[in-house]
Each structure stands twice: as structure tokens, then as C-alpha cells.
Amino acid sequence: MSEDINEELSIFCNRLESINNYINLIESERKLAKIPNEKMKNMKELYDTVVYIKDNANSQVIYNAIIISLYSCYENYIDNILTKYLDKLSNSNIKYTNLPKPILENHIRLTGNFLSNSNRYKNYDLMEMDVINNLYSCLNENDEYSLNNRILITHAGNLGINALVSLFAQIGINNLLEKVKETIEYKEYYKIQNDIKNERELKRILSNSDSKIIFNTLQDLVNRRNEIAHSWNEDDRLSIQTIKEVYINFFIAFGKAIKDIIINELYAVLYANGKLIELSIIYNVFNNKVVCLNNMNQKLKRFDYIYVIKSNKKAYAMKIQNLQINKKNIEECNNENIDIGIELDRNITKNDKFFCIANNI
């Protein structure tokens, strides 16, 4: 169920790594450019190459390419992962009318906008008849229907903080920035990046600080991208080192947090629509991470998720880190009614309730 969503994160991180490698290449060229000219006087080809590198080491083109590539990588990731989320919802045997209310409202509204002025969406590669057929399949209450996903995640302009929050709310995911701050991945990143020593101090800072300050790196990138697009030059350029150590690291953590939020929202909707099975035969919990239970005929797979409802009613989609049967590690479990140990990535107690996706989803 979550493979496609995890794949989008993998693609995003690989692209960020490509940008990082490009920066490393530039840094290597700059080191080469520092070789004294007298050491190359008998190596004309090398000499000419180094002179060229020196002349272009701080080229505006190189800087612009990095900033625009980094922004494009981010926006493409958001568009793709939200599309996968909507695909999962429509392919999970959930009735169209039971989808989150914002999806229903905005699906009709935005589809209407498209049909009344399709020229505004000419870059979307959409056919009017396909859009109409998709909407008909939804309103006709067919068992199988197709959302106009691309239209549903329409956003005007670039995805700065406010636009990003609005886009997620458009499909029923509210309080996005607060949810990002609650993810394991982002808290760990923020703790290291800001040299915070303990969890209590981290919680205090994240709770009391303005989200727009905490996520300023994102908005700053958007602003820089816009300045480059409209004026070519940027007066206050970032150093290559800052882009590597601050911006790329931020987007890796932010991308992982977004993935976790998407999966959590997916499981919440599945739970609300009775598409999860409770694993109710619980034997014990060890080390606050491992639950021993009966799989109740359900397929369980390493790196998939268990939906856990805590005693305080908070719920989390927790990743399966490991599976064991008779103290032997396994990748997946297809056996009927077998006792199994499941290691999860968050703390749990025996009083929690554990759910997995039903086999027929």
C-alpha cells in the first residue's frame, strides 16, 4: 500500500543527491583552479582548462542552475507524492462520498474551473473528455472511480509556505507545519542542525517558535528562485557550502516528514472507512518497541506500516522495522493465525490498539 509513496521519497532524495554531487564537482573545479600558473606553464591544455575554470568559477549561470534545480526538485516531489496519495484513496475500495470532505468539495469546484477555462491548464496535458469521464465515474457512485488528481492539486504560483499549507488543506490535510514538527525525522534534523541537547528543550522550541521562522529555509529558497526568474542576478547569493549543509539537508528532512504525514493521513482515512483490521490478540510488549501478537490471517511485511491508536486517542502509522517468528527474522508473514513479533519505529504500550490494512485492499 505504501510502496509508491516511499518510492517518491526515494526519487526526491536521489535528485537532491544529484544536486549535491553537482556542487561537489564545482568545488573540485575550484580546487583545480587554485593550482599556481607557473606549475602548468609546460602543460598548455591543462593551463587553458584551469584558466577557463577560474574565469567561470563564480558564474551566475551555475548558481542559478543550482537554485532552480533545488526548487524544481521540491515542487515536483510535492506534486507527485500528493498524486500518489489521491491514487491510493481512490483505489482502496472507499466510496467516493466517504472521501474527506475537502476532497469532495474541491474536486467538483476545481473540475468546474477546468471545464470553464481549460486554456489555463494547457501545461497539464489533460483532455476535457477524460476529465468529464472521471467526474462522472465519481458522481455516478461507481465502485471504481477516478479522481481528477492533477486538477485537485492545482496551485497558483510557487509553493512557498502559505501556498504549501493551502494545497495540503485543499485535500483535507490540515495544520501541515505543526504535523511536520511532530515527525521523528524532522525533530531529529532540527535537533542536530540547531545543536539542541535534549528532548525537552527541543519540544519547547518547536512548540513556541513561529512556524514561518522554523521553515524559513523553504520560503527563502522560493524567494531566491523568484528573484532569479525575474531578474537573473541575485545580490545576496548563498555560498555553495550553505546550500549543501543547510538547504539540501533541510529538504531531505522535510521530504521525509512529508512522506510520513502522507502515510499517516492515508491510514487515518482507511481506518475511518473500516478498511483496517484490528490485531486484537496481544500477548506482550517489550522494550517499548516490540509487540508480540497474532497476525489474524493478515499479511504483514517489513517496512510496511501498523496503525497504532494510543490510549490518549492519538494515532500513528508506525513503520515495521523487523518481523520475527520463533526468534527468526523474516521479510513478510503470510501464515494464517501465527504468533509474530513486530518491531515498530515509535514507542508503544500493551494498552495501545494495533491495526493493519485488510488483505483485500
Side-chain angles (χ1 to χ4, degrees), residues 200-318:
R200 180 178 295 181
E201 180 70 4
L202 175 66
K203 184 177 181 180
R204 183 190 67 79
I205 293 173
L206 289 176
S207 298
N208 297 332
S209 300
D210 187 340
S211 291
K212 291 186 177 180
I213 295 175
I214 290 177
F215 299 105
N216 180 62
T217 303
L218 189 159
Q219 188 61 52
D220 184 68
L221 177 72
V222 174
N223 294 342
R224 291 177 184 279
R225 180 265 171 209
N226 289 343
E227 186 172 348
I228 288 169
H230 296 295
S231 65
W232 180 257
N233 292 314
E234 186 185 346
D235 296 331
D236 182 26
R237 284 166 56 166
L238 297 170
S239 70
I240 294 297
Q241 203 66 24
T242 298
I243 295 173
K244 282 179 60 178
E245 295 179 359
V246 177
Y247 285 71
I248 290 180
N249 285 340
F250 166 83
F251 279 102
I252 290 172
F254 190 77
K256 290 178 178 178
I258 292 295
K259 183 267 297 181
D260 287 345
I261 291 166
I262 290 294
I263 289 177
N264 212 65
E265 293 291 330
L266 173 63
Y267 274 74
V269 176
L270 292 172
Y271 173 76
N273 283 275
K275 302 302 179 183
L276 302 183
I277 299 293
E278 183 175 4
L279 303 172
S280 57
I281 304 176
I282 310 297
Y283 300 116
N284 213 337
V285 169
F286 298 97
N287 301 324
N288 298 321
K289 296 282 188 182
V290 179
V291 57
C292 297
L293 47 73
N294 186 278
N295 76 325
M296 301 180 67
N297 297 324
Q298 300 304 308
K299 180 177 179 179
L300 301 173
K301 187 177 180 181
R302 190 170 176 230
F303 300 135
D304 214 331
Y305 294 81
I306 297 290
Y307 193 62
V308 180
I309 300 179
K310 311 289 288 180
S311 56
N312 61 5
K313 304 304 180 184
K314 287 188 176 182
Y316 305 93
M318 300 188 187

Side-chain angles (χ1 to χ4, degrees), residues 103-120:
I103 291 180
L104 299 179
E105 293 174 347
N106 289 309
H107 187 233
I108 294 175
R109 177 180 66 84
L110 293 171
T111 300
N113 289 348
F114 170 83
L115 294 173
S116 64
N117 189 3
S118 59
N119 286 333
R120 289 176 51 198

Side-chain angles (χ1 to χ4, degrees), residues 40-300:
M40 299 179 292
K41 58 185 179 181
N42 295 322
M43 298 178 286
K44 186 177 186 309
E45 185 175 348
L46 177 60
Y47 175 80
D48 291 343
T49 300
V50 170
V51 169
Y52 180 81
I53 291 172
K54 285 180 179 179
D55 291 343
N56 292 278
N58 295 308
S59 166
Q60 187 71 41
V61 173
I62 292 174
Y63 178 80
N64 291 358
I66 294 172
I67 294 297
I68 291 173
S69 294
L70 187 54
Y71 174 78
S72 299
C73 181
Y74 151 68
E75 181 177 301
N76 185 258
Y77 173 63
I78 295 298
D79 287 347
N80 289 347
I81 202 167
L82 291 185
T83 298
K84 291 291 173 64
Y85 169 68
L86 294 171
D87 282 340
K88 294 296 181 186
L89 290 182
S90 60
N91 293 327
S92 298
N93 298 328
I94 298 173
K95 288 182 63 176
Y96 173 73
T97 52
N98 288 341
L99 292 175
K101 188 176 179 181
I103 291 180
L104 299 179
E105 293 174 347
N106 289 309
H107 187 233
I108 294 175
R109 177 180 66 84
L110 293 171
T111 300
N113 289 348
F114 170 83
L115 294 173
S116 64
N117 189 3
S118 59
N119 286 333
R120 289 176 51 198
Y121 301 79
K122 59 184 179 181
N123 295 326
Y124 283 32
D125 193 27
L126 295 171
M127 302 295 293
E128 289 188 7
M129 189 54 64
D130 292 336
V131 171
I132 292 170
N133 288 336
N134 288 345
L135 183 61
Y136 178 79
S137 73
C138 296
L139 300 180
N140 200 38
E141 297 191 14
N142 294 337
D143 290 336
E144 295 184 4
Y145 60 87
S146 297
L147 295 170
N148 289 310
N149 292 344
R150 192 66 189 85
I151 295 174
L152 252 175
I153 59 169
T154 298
H155 49 86
N158 298 315
L159 282 179
I161 290 176
N162 292 336
L164 183 69
V165 170
S166 296
L167 177 60
F168 274 70
Q170 192 165 283
I171 58 173
I173 302 177
N174 298 313
N175 303 315
L176 175 66
L177 300 186
E178 294 305 312
K179 289 177 178 176
V180 170
K181 290 191 289 185
E182 292 175 1
T183 62
I184 295 173
E185 293 285 356
Y186 194 80
K187 285 193 289 188
E188 186 62 24
Y189 154 80
Y190 198 81
K191 182 179 177 182
I192 295 171
Q193 192 74 19
N194 295 279
D195 195 26
I196 299 172
K197 302 302 182 184
N198 58 70
E199 293 297 324
R200 180 178 295 181
E201 180 70 4
L202 175 66
K203 184 177 181 180
R204 183 190 67 79
I205 293 173
L206 289 176
S207 298
N208 297 332
S209 300
D210 187 340
S211 291
K212 291 186 177 180
I213 295 175
I214 290 177
F215 299 105
N216 180 62
T217 303
L218 189 159
Q219 188 61 52
D220 184 68
L221 177 72
V222 174
N223 294 342
R224 291 177 184 279
R225 180 265 171 209
N226 289 343
E227 186 172 348
I228 288 169
H230 296 295
S231 65
W232 180 257
N233 292 314
E234 186 185 346
D235 296 331
D236 182 26
R237 284 166 56 166
L238 297 170
S239 70
I240 294 297
Q241 203 66 24
T242 298
I243 295 173
K244 282 179 60 178
E245 295 179 359
V246 177
Y247 285 71
I248 290 180
N249 285 340
F250 166 83
F251 279 102
I252 290 172
F254 190 77
K256 290 178 178 178
I258 292 295
K259 183 267 297 181
D260 287 345
I261 291 166
I262 290 294
I263 289 177
N264 212 65
E265 293 291 330
L266 173 63
Y267 274 74
V269 176
L270 292 172
Y271 173 76
N273 283 275
K275 302 302 179 183
L276 302 183
I277 299 293
E278 183 175 4
L279 303 172
S280 57
I281 304 176
I282 310 297
Y283 300 116
N284 213 337
V285 169
F286 298 97
N287 301 324
N288 298 321
K289 296 282 188 182
V290 179
V291 57
C292 297
L293 47 73
N294 186 278
N295 76 325
M296 301 180 67
N297 297 324
Q298 300 304 308
K299 180 177 179 179
L300 301 173

